[in-house]
Amino acid sequence: MKRLRFILLWIVVFSIICGCLGKSPQILSDNKEKIQPNIIAVLPVANKNPDGKSSQLFRARLIEELYFKGYSRLSLEMIDKKLESLYLNSDNKNVSDVNPQALKDLLGADSGMYCTLSEDNKSKKLFYEPIKISVRCELRSAQTGEIIWNAQSESTERNFDFTNKGLEKKSHESLETVIDEVVNKILKTLPDGPNLRD
């Protein structure tokens, strides 16, 4: 009886060890196959609303937060100046048409962040004005052009006031809050950059 218990215990322990060892290489190979960006160029944000203030604010906050997430900082001015050379030979200034592979040559980036922002301000009523911002971002490899990460998010802030001037002021103040929320939600799923990786 004692011998049978010992043999059963040995089989259980052996099975657990084999199970753990069998899974380790699979986890390691998954991590090797995962493409991890090192330098991200954040392209100008496509905005479905003619007012570009929200998209500029979103882009600036996105670059700032990428830096705190461990990625090298590429300034907006440098990115835009380098992208101008692409537009000189083309009548089309659509950011989504920028080839990700050109980003490596122009900026030394191994990936490009393409974002589209939309605002919904149609619900404006007397004493009430909500701000709703929706964003979709894709990270494309500069090597292959494939999408290696994507995320989307939205945030809404509701403002109330008895005067139009007060309502407008509150809306301007809450715009930054809404954009901060959207940026934080978007970047939650992005892996840490090379400066924070082990």
Short mmCIF file of all heavy atoms in Angstrom, two decimals, residues 50-108:
data_model
loop_
_atom_site.label_atom_id
_atom_site.label_comp_id
_atom_site.label_asym_id
_atom_site.label_seq_id
_atom_site.Cartn_x
_atom_site.Cartn_y
_atom_site.Cartn_z
N PRO A 50 -13.77 69.40 -39.28
CA PRO A 50 -12.86 70.39 -39.87
C PRO A 50 -11.99 71.14 -38.85
O PRO A 50 -10.91 71.60 -39.17
CB PRO A 50 -13.80 71.37 -40.58
CG PRO A 50 -15.18 71.03 -40.19
CD PRO A 50 -15.17 69.67 -39.56
N ASP A 51 -12.43 71.24 -37.60
CA ASP A 51 -11.62 71.91 -36.58
C ASP A 51 -10.49 70.98 -36.16
O ASP A 51 -10.72 69.90 -35.63
CB ASP A 51 -12.50 72.25 -35.37
CG ASP A 51 -11.70 72.86 -34.22
OD1 ASP A 51 -10.63 73.43 -34.50
OD2 ASP A 51 -12.14 72.76 -33.08
N GLY A 52 -9.24 71.39 -36.39
CA GLY A 52 -8.10 70.53 -36.12
C GLY A 52 -7.55 70.64 -34.71
O GLY A 52 -6.56 70.00 -34.38
N LYS A 53 -8.17 71.43 -33.84
CA LYS A 53 -7.66 71.64 -32.49
C LYS A 53 -7.61 70.34 -31.69
O LYS A 53 -6.62 70.05 -31.02
CB LYS A 53 -8.51 72.69 -31.76
CG LYS A 53 -8.00 73.01 -30.37
CD LYS A 53 -8.89 74.00 -29.66
CE LYS A 53 -8.40 74.24 -28.24
NZ LYS A 53 -9.27 75.11 -27.49
N SER A 54 -8.68 69.56 -31.75
CA SER A 54 -8.74 68.31 -30.99
C SER A 54 -7.68 67.33 -31.46
O SER A 54 -7.03 66.68 -30.64
CB SER A 54 -10.12 67.67 -31.13
OG SER A 54 -11.11 68.52 -30.63
N SER A 55 -7.51 67.22 -32.77
CA SER A 55 -6.53 66.26 -33.29
C SER A 55 -5.11 66.68 -32.94
O SER A 55 -4.26 65.84 -32.65
CB SER A 55 -6.69 66.06 -34.80
OG SER A 55 -6.64 67.28 -35.47
N GLN A 56 -4.82 67.99 -32.95
CA GLN A 56 -3.49 68.47 -32.57
C GLN A 56 -3.21 68.20 -31.10
O GLN A 56 -2.12 67.76 -30.72
CB GLN A 56 -3.36 69.96 -32.88
CG GLN A 56 -3.30 70.27 -34.35
CD GLN A 56 -3.43 71.77 -34.64
OE1 GLN A 56 -3.64 72.57 -33.74
NE2 GLN A 56 -3.32 72.13 -35.91
N LEU A 57 -4.21 68.46 -30.27
CA LEU A 57 -4.07 68.22 -28.83
C LEU A 57 -3.89 66.73 -28.55
O LEU A 57 -3.04 66.33 -27.75
CB LEU A 57 -5.30 68.77 -28.10
CG LEU A 57 -5.27 68.77 -26.58
CD1 LEU A 57 -4.09 69.56 -26.04
CD2 LEU A 57 -6.58 69.35 -26.03
N PHE A 58 -4.67 65.91 -29.23
CA PHE A 58 -4.58 64.46 -29.07
C PHE A 58 -3.19 63.96 -29.46
O PHE A 58 -2.56 63.19 -28.74
CB PHE A 58 -5.65 63.75 -29.92
CG PHE A 58 -5.48 62.26 -29.96
CD1 PHE A 58 -5.90 61.47 -28.90
CD2 PHE A 58 -4.89 61.65 -31.05
CE1 PHE A 58 -5.74 60.10 -28.92
CE2 PHE A 58 -4.71 60.28 -31.08
CZ PHE A 58 -5.14 59.50 -30.02
N ARG A 59 -2.69 64.43 -30.59
CA ARG A 59 -1.38 63.99 -31.08
C ARG A 59 -0.26 64.39 -30.10
O ARG A 59 0.63 63.59 -29.81
CB ARG A 59 -1.13 64.59 -32.46
CG ARG A 59 0.13 64.07 -33.12
CD ARG A 59 0.25 64.68 -34.50
NE ARG A 59 1.45 64.25 -35.18
CZ ARG A 59 2.15 65.02 -35.99
NH1 ARG A 59 1.73 66.26 -36.26
NH2 ARG A 59 3.24 64.57 -36.56
N ALA A 60 -0.31 65.61 -29.59
CA ALA A 60 0.71 66.08 -28.65
C ALA A 60 0.69 65.24 -27.37
O ALA A 60 1.74 64.84 -26.84
CB ALA A 60 0.48 67.56 -28.32
N ARG A 61 -0.52 64.94 -26.86
CA ARG A 61 -0.64 64.12 -25.64
C ARG A 61 -0.18 62.68 -25.89
O ARG A 61 0.44 62.06 -25.03
CB ARG A 61 -2.10 64.10 -25.15
CG ARG A 61 -2.54 65.37 -24.50
CD ARG A 61 -1.87 65.64 -23.16
NE ARG A 61 -2.30 64.70 -22.16
CZ ARG A 61 -1.49 64.09 -21.29
NH1 ARG A 61 -0.21 64.34 -21.31
NH2 ARG A 61 -1.96 63.26 -20.40
N LEU A 62 -0.46 62.16 -27.09
CA LEU A 62 -0.06 60.80 -27.45
C LEU A 62 1.46 60.68 -27.46
O LEU A 62 2.02 59.73 -26.90
CB LEU A 62 -0.65 60.44 -28.82
CG LEU A 62 -0.52 59.01 -29.28
CD1 LEU A 62 -1.23 58.06 -28.33
CD2 LEU A 62 -1.09 58.85 -30.69
N ILE A 63 2.13 61.65 -28.06
CA ILE A 63 3.60 61.64 -28.11
C ILE A 63 4.18 61.74 -26.69
O ILE A 63 5.13 61.02 -26.35
CB ILE A 63 4.12 62.78 -29.02
CG1 ILE A 63 3.89 62.39 -30.48
CG2 ILE A 63 5.59 63.06 -28.77
CD1 ILE A 63 4.31 63.42 -31.49
N GLU A 64 3.58 62.58 -25.88
CA GLU A 64 4.04 62.74 -24.49
C GLU A 64 3.90 61.44 -23.72
O GLU A 64 4.81 61.01 -23.00
CB GLU A 64 3.22 63.85 -23.84
CG GLU A 64 3.70 64.27 -22.48
CD GLU A 64 2.86 65.41 -21.91
OE1 GLU A 64 2.60 66.39 -22.63
OE2 GLU A 64 2.45 65.29 -20.75
N GLU A 65 2.75 60.78 -23.85
CA GLU A 65 2.50 59.54 -23.11
C GLU A 65 3.34 58.38 -23.64
O GLU A 65 3.71 57.49 -22.87
CB GLU A 65 1.01 59.18 -23.13
CG GLU A 65 0.15 60.10 -22.29
CD GLU A 65 0.59 60.19 -20.83
OE1 GLU A 65 0.83 59.13 -20.22
OE2 GLU A 65 0.72 61.30 -20.32
N LEU A 66 3.65 58.38 -24.94
CA LEU A 66 4.52 57.34 -25.49
C LEU A 66 5.92 57.44 -24.86
O LEU A 66 6.56 56.43 -24.59
CB LEU A 66 4.63 57.46 -27.02
CG LEU A 66 3.45 56.91 -27.82
CD1 LEU A 66 3.57 57.30 -29.28
CD2 LEU A 66 3.34 55.40 -27.67
N TYR A 67 6.36 58.67 -24.63
CA TYR A 67 7.65 58.89 -24.00
C TYR A 67 7.66 58.29 -22.59
O TYR A 67 8.60 57.61 -22.18
CB TYR A 67 7.96 60.39 -23.95
CG TYR A 67 9.23 60.72 -23.20
CD1 TYR A 67 10.48 60.46 -23.77
CD2 TYR A 67 9.17 61.28 -21.93
CE1 TYR A 67 11.64 60.75 -23.08
CE2 TYR A 67 10.34 61.58 -21.24
CZ TYR A 67 11.57 61.31 -21.81
OH TYR A 67 12.72 61.60 -21.13
N PHE A 68 6.57 58.52 -21.82
CA PHE A 68 6.49 57.98 -20.47
C PHE A 68 6.28 56.47 -20.46
O PHE A 68 6.48 55.82 -19.45
CB PHE A 68 5.38 58.68 -19.67
CG PHE A 68 5.72 60.11 -19.34
CD1 PHE A 68 4.96 61.15 -19.85
CD2 PHE A 68 6.81 60.41 -18.55
CE1 PHE A 68 5.28 62.47 -19.55
CE2 PHE A 68 7.14 61.73 -18.25
CZ PHE A 68 6.37 62.76 -18.75
N LYS A 69 5.88 55.92 -21.60
CA LYS A 69 5.70 54.47 -21.72
C LYS A 69 7.00 53.80 -22.17
O LYS A 69 7.05 52.59 -22.35
CB LYS A 69 4.57 54.18 -22.71
CG LYS A 69 3.95 52.81 -22.52
CD LYS A 69 2.53 52.79 -22.96
CE LYS A 69 1.98 51.38 -22.98
NZ LYS A 69 1.62 50.89 -21.65
N GLY A 70 8.07 54.59 -22.35
CA GLY A 70 9.38 54.00 -22.64
C GLY A 70 9.85 54.11 -24.06
O GLY A 70 10.84 53.47 -24.44
N TYR A 71 9.19 54.93 -24.88
CA TYR A 71 9.59 55.10 -26.28
C TYR A 71 10.38 56.39 -26.46
O TYR A 71 10.17 57.36 -25.72
CB TYR A 71 8.36 55.11 -27.20
CG TYR A 71 7.68 53.77 -27.25
CD1 TYR A 71 6.62 53.48 -26.40
CD2 TYR A 71 8.10 52.78 -28.12
CE1 TYR A 71 6.00 52.24 -26.41
CE2 TYR A 71 7.49 51.52 -28.15
CZ TYR A 71 6.44 51.27 -27.29
OH TYR A 71 5.84 50.05 -27.30
N SER A 72 11.28 56.41 -27.47
CA SER A 72 12.05 57.62 -27.77
C SER A 72 11.10 58.71 -28.24
O SER A 72 10.11 58.43 -28.90
CB SER A 72 13.08 57.34 -28.86
OG SER A 72 13.98 56.35 -28.43
N ARG A 73 11.44 59.95 -27.90
CA ARG A 73 10.57 61.08 -28.27
C ARG A 73 10.99 61.62 -29.64
O ARG A 73 12.14 62.02 -29.83
CB ARG A 73 10.68 62.17 -27.22
CG ARG A 73 9.59 63.22 -27.35
CD ARG A 73 9.81 64.39 -26.41
NE ARG A 73 9.90 64.02 -25.02
CZ ARG A 73 8.98 64.32 -24.11
NH1 ARG A 73 7.92 65.00 -24.44
NH2 ARG A 73 9.12 63.96 -22.86
N LEU A 74 10.06 61.60 -30.58
CA LEU A 74 10.26 62.25 -31.88
C LEU A 74 9.36 63.47 -31.88
O LEU A 74 8.15 63.35 -31.72
CB LEU A 74 9.87 61.31 -33.04
CG LEU A 74 10.73 60.05 -33.23
CD1 LEU A 74 10.16 59.20 -34.35
CD2 LEU A 74 12.17 60.41 -33.52
N SER A 75 9.93 64.65 -32.07
CA SER A 75 9.13 65.87 -31.97
C SER A 75 8.16 66.01 -33.14
O SER A 75 8.43 65.55 -34.26
CB SER A 75 10.05 67.10 -31.91
OG SER A 75 10.62 67.34 -33.17
N LEU A 76 7.03 66.68 -32.86
CA LEU A 76 6.03 66.93 -33.90
C LEU A 76 6.64 67.71 -35.05
O LEU A 76 6.37 67.42 -36.22
CB LEU A 76 4.86 67.73 -33.31
CG LEU A 76 4.00 67.05 -32.27
CD1 LEU A 76 3.02 68.03 -31.67
CD2 LEU A 76 3.26 65.89 -32.87
N GLU A 77 7.45 68.72 -34.72
CA GLU A 77 8.03 69.58 -35.75
C GLU A 77 8.92 68.78 -36.69
O GLU A 77 8.86 68.93 -37.91
CB GLU A 77 8.85 70.71 -35.11
CG GLU A 77 8.04 71.69 -34.29
CD GLU A 77 7.69 71.18 -32.89
OE1 GLU A 77 8.35 70.24 -32.38
OE2 GLU A 77 6.72 71.72 -32.31
N MET A 78 9.75 67.89 -36.12
CA MET A 78 10.65 67.08 -36.95
C MET A 78 9.86 66.13 -37.85
O MET A 78 10.14 66.01 -39.04
CB MET A 78 11.61 66.29 -36.08
CG MET A 78 12.64 65.53 -36.90
SD MET A 78 13.63 64.37 -35.96
CE MET A 78 12.46 63.10 -35.59
N ILE A 79 8.86 65.47 -37.27
CA ILE A 79 8.05 64.53 -38.06
C ILE A 79 7.37 65.27 -39.22
O ILE A 79 7.44 64.83 -40.37
CB ILE A 79 6.99 63.83 -37.18
CG1 ILE A 79 7.66 62.94 -36.13
CG2 ILE A 79 6.02 63.02 -38.03
CD1 ILE A 79 6.72 62.40 -35.07
N ASP A 80 6.73 66.40 -38.92
CA ASP A 80 6.01 67.15 -39.95
C ASP A 80 6.94 67.69 -41.03
O ASP A 80 6.61 67.68 -42.22
CB ASP A 80 5.19 68.28 -39.32
CG ASP A 80 4.05 67.74 -38.46
OD1 ASP A 80 3.71 66.55 -38.60
OD2 ASP A 80 3.51 68.52 -37.67
N LYS A 81 8.12 68.14 -40.61
CA LYS A 81 9.08 68.69 -41.58
C LYS A 81 9.55 67.59 -42.53
O LYS A 81 9.66 67.81 -43.74
CB LYS A 81 10.27 69.30 -40.84
CG LYS A 81 11.19 70.08 -41.74
CD LYS A 81 12.24 70.82 -40.94
CE LYS A 81 13.09 71.64 -41.91
NZ LYS A 81 14.15 72.37 -41.24
N LYS A 82 9.84 66.42 -41.99
CA LYS A 82 10.29 65.30 -42.83
C LYS A 82 9.17 64.82 -43.75
O LYS A 82 9.42 64.42 -44.89
CB LYS A 82 10.77 64.14 -41.95
CG LYS A 82 11.97 64.48 -41.11
CD LYS A 82 13.24 64.45 -41.89
CE LYS A 82 14.44 64.62 -40.97
NZ LYS A 82 15.70 64.61 -41.69
N LEU A 83 7.93 64.84 -43.26
CA LEU A 83 6.80 64.38 -44.08
C LEU A 83 6.52 65.34 -45.24
O LEU A 83 5.98 64.94 -46.26
CB LEU A 83 5.54 64.22 -43.23
CG LEU A 83 5.52 63.04 -42.26
CD1 LEU A 83 4.25 63.04 -41.44
CD2 LEU A 83 5.67 61.71 -42.99
N GLU A 84 6.87 66.62 -45.07
CA GLU A 84 6.66 67.60 -46.15
C GLU A 84 7.34 67.17 -47.43
O GLU A 84 6.83 67.39 -48.52
CB GLU A 84 7.17 68.98 -45.72
CG GLU A 84 6.20 69.75 -44.86
CD GLU A 84 6.75 71.11 -44.44
OE1 GLU A 84 7.73 71.58 -45.03
OE2 GLU A 84 6.16 71.70 -43.52
N SER A 85 8.51 66.55 -47.31
CA SER A 85 9.23 66.11 -48.50
C SER A 85 8.44 65.05 -49.28
O SER A 85 8.56 64.95 -50.50
CB SER A 85 10.61 65.57 -48.13
OG SER A 85 10.48 64.42 -47.32
N LEU A 86 7.62 64.27 -48.58
CA LEU A 86 6.77 63.29 -49.27
C LEU A 86 5.66 63.97 -50.05
O LEU A 86 5.23 63.52 -51.10
CB LEU A 86 6.15 62.31 -48.27
CG LEU A 86 7.05 61.32 -47.58
CD1 LEU A 86 6.26 60.50 -46.58
CD2 LEU A 86 7.73 60.42 -48.59
N TYR A 87 5.14 65.09 -49.48
CA TYR A 87 4.02 65.79 -50.10
C TYR A 87 4.44 66.66 -51.27
O TYR A 87 3.62 67.03 -52.10
CB TYR A 87 3.31 66.68 -49.07
CG TYR A 87 2.69 65.91 -47.92
CD1 TYR A 87 2.80 66.39 -46.62
CD2 TYR A 87 2.00 64.73 -48.12
CE1 TYR A 87 2.24 65.71 -45.55
CE2 TYR A 87 1.45 64.04 -47.06
CZ TYR A 87 1.56 64.53 -45.78
OH TYR A 87 0.99 63.86 -44.74
N LEU A 88 5.73 67.01 -51.39
CA LEU A 88 6.19 67.89 -52.46
C LEU A 88 5.94 67.29 -53.84
O LEU A 88 5.61 67.99 -54.78
CB LEU A 88 7.69 68.20 -52.30
CG LEU A 88 8.07 69.13 -51.15
CD1 LEU A 88 9.58 69.27 -51.06
CD2 LEU A 88 7.42 70.50 -51.31
N ASN A 89 6.09 65.98 -53.92
CA ASN A 89 5.93 65.30 -55.22
C ASN A 89 4.52 64.76 -55.43
O ASN A 89 4.28 64.00 -56.34
CB ASN A 89 6.94 64.15 -55.33
CG ASN A 89 8.36 64.64 -55.18
OD1 ASN A 89 8.69 65.74 -55.64
ND2 ASN A 89 9.20 63.85 -54.55
N SER A 90 3.60 65.14 -54.55
CA SER A 90 2.24 64.59 -54.65
C SER A 90 1.21 65.66 -54.32
O SER A 90 1.44 66.51 -53.47
CB SER A 90 2.12 63.41 -53.68
OG SER A 90 0.78 63.00 -53.58
N ASP A 91 0.08 65.60 -55.02
CA ASP A 91 -1.02 66.53 -54.73
C ASP A 91 -1.84 66.05 -53.52
O ASP A 91 -2.56 66.80 -52.91
CB ASP A 91 -1.96 66.64 -55.94
CG ASP A 91 -1.24 67.28 -57.13
OD1 ASP A 91 -0.30 68.06 -56.90
OD2 ASP A 91 -1.63 66.99 -58.27
N ASN A 92 -1.71 64.78 -53.20
CA ASN A 92 -2.50 64.18 -52.13
C ASN A 92 -1.76 64.31 -50.79
O ASN A 92 -0.63 63.87 -50.66
CB ASN A 92 -2.74 62.69 -52.44
CG ASN A 92 -3.70 62.07 -51.47
OD1 ASN A 92 -4.33 62.74 -50.66
ND2 ASN A 92 -3.83 60.75 -51.55
N LYS A 93 -2.39 64.94 -49.81
CA LYS A 93 -1.78 65.10 -48.50
C LYS A 93 -2.49 64.24 -47.46
O LYS A 93 -2.54 64.59 -46.29
CB LYS A 93 -1.81 66.57 -48.07
CG LYS A 93 -0.89 67.43 -48.89
CD LYS A 93 -0.72 68.79 -48.26
CE LYS A 93 0.26 69.62 -49.05
NZ LYS A 93 0.60 70.88 -48.40
N ASN A 94 -3.04 63.12 -47.89
CA ASN A 94 -3.74 62.23 -46.98
C ASN A 94 -2.72 61.42 -46.17
O ASN A 94 -1.92 60.69 -46.73
CB ASN A 94 -4.66 61.29 -47.78
CG ASN A 94 -5.60 60.52 -46.90
OD1 ASN A 94 -5.51 60.56 -45.67
ND2 ASN A 94 -6.52 59.80 -47.51
N VAL A 95 -2.76 61.57 -44.86
CA VAL A 95 -1.78 60.92 -43.98
C VAL A 95 -1.86 59.40 -44.08
O VAL A 95 -0.85 58.71 -44.01
CB VAL A 95 -2.01 61.37 -42.51
CG1 VAL A 95 -1.09 60.64 -41.57
CG2 VAL A 95 -1.79 62.85 -42.39
N SER A 96 -3.06 58.86 -44.24
CA SER A 96 -3.20 57.41 -44.30
C SER A 96 -2.51 56.82 -45.52
O SER A 96 -2.27 55.62 -45.57
CB SER A 96 -4.68 57.01 -44.27
OG SER A 96 -5.35 57.53 -45.38
N ASP A 97 -2.18 57.66 -46.51
CA ASP A 97 -1.48 57.17 -47.69
C ASP A 97 0.04 57.15 -47.53
O ASP A 97 0.75 56.69 -48.41
CB ASP A 97 -1.84 58.04 -48.91
CG ASP A 97 -3.29 57.87 -49.32
OD1 ASP A 97 -3.90 56.84 -48.97
OD2 ASP A 97 -3.83 58.77 -49.99
N VAL A 98 0.55 57.68 -46.41
CA VAL A 98 2.00 57.68 -46.18
C VAL A 98 2.46 56.24 -45.99
O VAL A 98 1.96 55.53 -45.13
CB VAL A 98 2.37 58.53 -44.94
CG1 VAL A 98 3.85 58.38 -44.62
CG2 VAL A 98 2.02 59.98 -45.17
N ASN A 99 3.40 55.83 -46.82
CA ASN A 99 3.91 54.46 -46.75
C ASN A 99 4.75 54.30 -45.48
O ASN A 99 5.69 55.06 -45.26
CB ASN A 99 4.79 54.21 -47.99
CG ASN A 99 5.23 52.78 -48.10
OD1 ASN A 99 5.26 52.04 -47.12
ND2 ASN A 99 5.60 52.37 -49.29
N PRO A 100 4.43 53.31 -44.63
CA PRO A 100 5.18 53.14 -43.38
C PRO A 100 6.67 52.91 -43.62
O PRO A 100 7.51 53.28 -42.81
CB PRO A 100 4.55 51.91 -42.74
CG PRO A 100 3.26 51.70 -43.40
CD PRO A 100 3.35 52.33 -44.75
N GLN A 101 7.02 52.30 -44.75
CA GLN A 101 8.42 52.02 -45.04
C GLN A 101 9.22 53.30 -45.27
O GLN A 101 10.43 53.33 -45.04
CB GLN A 101 8.52 51.06 -46.23
CG GLN A 101 7.96 49.69 -45.87
CD GLN A 101 7.71 48.79 -47.07
OE1 GLN A 101 7.55 49.27 -48.17
NE2 GLN A 101 7.66 47.50 -46.82
N ALA A 102 8.54 54.37 -45.68
CA ALA A 102 9.23 55.66 -45.87
C ALA A 102 9.63 56.26 -44.53
O ALA A 102 10.56 57.07 -44.45
CB ALA A 102 8.33 56.62 -46.63
N LEU A 103 8.95 55.88 -43.46
CA LEU A 103 9.24 56.43 -42.13
C LEU A 103 10.62 56.02 -41.63
O LEU A 103 11.27 56.77 -40.91
CB LEU A 103 8.17 55.99 -41.12
CG LEU A 103 6.74 56.42 -41.43
CD1 LEU A 103 5.78 55.83 -40.42
CD2 LEU A 103 6.62 57.93 -41.47
N LYS A 104 11.05 54.83 -42.02
CA LYS A 104 12.38 54.36 -41.59
C LYS A 104 13.47 55.24 -42.20
O LYS A 104 14.40 55.66 -41.52
CB LYS A 104 12.58 52.90 -41.98
CG LYS A 104 13.83 52.30 -41.39
CD LYS A 104 13.79 50.79 -41.49
CE LYS A 104 14.95 50.15 -40.79
NZ LYS A 104 14.88 50.20 -39.35
N ASP A 105 13.33 55.53 -43.50
CA ASP A 105 14.32 56.36 -44.18
C ASP A 105 14.28 57.80 -43.70
O ASP A 105 15.32 58.42 -43.49
CB ASP A 105 14.09 56.31 -45.70
CG ASP A 105 14.22 54.90 -46.26
OD1 ASP A 105 14.97 54.10 -45.66
OD2 ASP A 105 13.56 54.59 -47.26
N LEU A 106 13.08 58.35 -43.54
CA LEU A 106 12.93 59.75 -43.17
C LEU A 106 13.23 60.04 -41.71
O LEU A 106 13.85 61.04 -41.37
CB LEU A 106 11.50 60.23 -43.48
CG LEU A 106 11.11 60.39 -44.94
CD1 LEU A 106 9.63 60.68 -45.05
CD2 LEU A 106 11.91 61.50 -45.59
N LEU A 107 12.74 59.16 -40.82
CA LEU A 107 12.79 59.46 -39.38
C LEU A 107 13.59 58.46 -38.55
O LEU A 107 13.76 58.66 -37.36
CB LEU A 107 11.35 59.52 -38.83
CG LEU A 107 10.43 60.55 -39.48
CD1 LEU A 107 8.98 60.22 -39.20
CD2 LEU A 107 10.75 61.94 -38.95
N GLY A 108 14.00 57.36 -39.16
CA GLY A 108 14.68 56.32 -38.40
C GLY A 108 13.73 55.53 -37.52
O GLY A 108 14.16 54.83 -36.60
#
